[in-house]
């Protein structure tokens, strides 16, 4: 099976760096600082003008949990139609019930809106009640990929669970296990040594670019505490290239 390096990007500059570094696929989003939100169709169209790299769009209307209201589900389905027409190859979705189970009913309109595009279950699996059950339910719902850290803050700490999911994948011909959270070249090499069957990885490869602003008014933050406007996160072409080399 093909090895896949997916890079999560939230800007045009990051997308170009990921493509130049050899990314096999992009996960396009906005606001990575809060874990990623739904991207704009305009950004997708900009990327599509210069690259035909496969792109899956994250569908997440807000930060926080994955228990969505009917209105939030409707919002996502409407945005999926726009993004599909703008050139999306697939979507990254996920809904949970209040009890931490995969919510197939809530996701039904999202799956219908995908209209045969590729589907990734995002990291809602990592905060679900039982990862193996969630993985199997994702398979039954038609997902071709499941993004997971193994239920840990970083995938290195979830390696045992990821190993179990890989066994299920191979035994049951399940969705691809896309390993994410803290991925870099060194992490990929470590996983490949311990779990040779691991073949799909997800990374952002972020570095910080110094702002070109000369005038800087301090003490007026525009976002979350601890963040500033003078250091801009951007995907590193070098980090992506090194990860691609480690994947082989």
């Amino acid at each position: 099976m093909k090895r896949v390096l997916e890079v999560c990007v939230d800007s045009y500059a990051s997308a170009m760096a990921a493509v130049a570094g050899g990314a096999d696929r992009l996960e396009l989003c906005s606001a990575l600082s809060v874990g990623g939100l739904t991207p704009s169709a305009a950004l997708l169209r900009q990327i599509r003008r210069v690259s035909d790299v496969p792109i899956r769009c994250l569908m997440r209307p807000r930060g926080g949990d994955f228990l969505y209201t009917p209105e939030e589900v409707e919002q996502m389905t409407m945005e999926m139609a726009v993004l599909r027409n703008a050139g999306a190859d697939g979507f990254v979705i996920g809904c949970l019930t209040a009890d931490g189970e995969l919510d197939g009913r809530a996701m039904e309109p999202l799956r219908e809106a995908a209209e045969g595009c590729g589907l990734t279950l995002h990291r809602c699996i990592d905060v679900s009640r039982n990862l193996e059950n969630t993985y199997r339910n994702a398979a039954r719902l038609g997902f071709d990929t499941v993004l997971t850290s193994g239920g840990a803050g970083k995938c290195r700490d979830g390696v045992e669970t990821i190993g179990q999911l890989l066994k299920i994948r191979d035994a049951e011909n399940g969705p691809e296990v896309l390993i994410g959270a803290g991925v870099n070249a060194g992490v990929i090499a470590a996983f490949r040594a311990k779990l040779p069957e691991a073949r799909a990885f997800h990374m952002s490869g972020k570095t910080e670019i110094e702002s070109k602003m000369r005038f800087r008014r301090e003490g007026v933050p525009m976002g979350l505490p601890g963040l500033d406007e003078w250091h801009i996160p951007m995907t590193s072409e070098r980090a992506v290239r090194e990860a691609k080399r480690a994947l082989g």
Side-chain angles (χ1 to χ4, degrees), residues 68-171:
Y68 294 117
T69 66
E71 292 77 17
E72 288 170 332
V73 171
E74 181 184 30
Q75 177 186 339
M76 287 188 279
T77 61
M78 293 170 68
E79 289 172 328
M80 286 173 72
V82 175
L83 289 164
R84 193 179 64 250
N85 290 334
D89 298 290
F91 296 95
V92 184
I93 66 174
C95 303
L96 297 178
T97 68
D99 292 320
E101 306 291 347
L102 200 60
D103 193 340
R105 180 175 296 179
M107 287 189 295
E108 185 174 353
L110 300 177
R111 290 163 50 229
E112 290 177 356
E115 291 191 4
C117 294
L119 277 179
T120 299
L121 180 70
H122 60 47
R123 289 189 60 210
C124 69
I125 185 176
D126 291 321
V127 292
S128 67
R129 182 178 294 274
N130 183 294
L131 272 69
E132 292 185 14
N133 288 346
T134 300
Y135 177 85
R136 287 190 167 100
N137 286 334
R140 284 191 281 270
L141 290 171
F143 285 88
D144 60 65
T145 303
V146 174
L147 171 61
T148 181
S149 64
K154 298 291 184 182
C155 62
R156 274 187 181 272
D157 299 322
V159 63
E160 298 304 326
T161 299
I162 290 170
Q164 290 302 311
L165 295 178
L166 289 169
K167 289 179 180 178
I168 296 172
R169 180 201 68 186
D170 292 343

Side-chain angles (χ1 to χ4, degrees), residues 158-224:
V159 63
E160 298 304 326
T161 299
I162 290 170
Q164 290 302 311
L165 295 178
L166 289 169
K167 289 179 180 178
I168 296 172
R169 180 201 68 186
D170 292 343
E172 302 177 14
N173 194 28
E176 184 60 88
V177 176
L178 181 62
I179 300 166
V183 168
N184 57 32
V187 169
I188 291 174
F191 263 91
R192 295 281 295 158
K194 184 176 179 63
L195 299 170
E197 64 271 33
R199 61 194 181 210
F201 292 86
H202 169 100
M203 68 182 295
S204 64
K206 283 290 188 286
T207 187
E208 286 192 341
I209 305 299
E210 181 79 12
S211 169
K212 295 180 180 180
M213 288 290 295
R214 291 188 297 273
F215 173 76
R216 301 184 180 190
R217 186 181 298 280
E218 303 294 343
V220 189
M222 296 291 139
L224 297 171

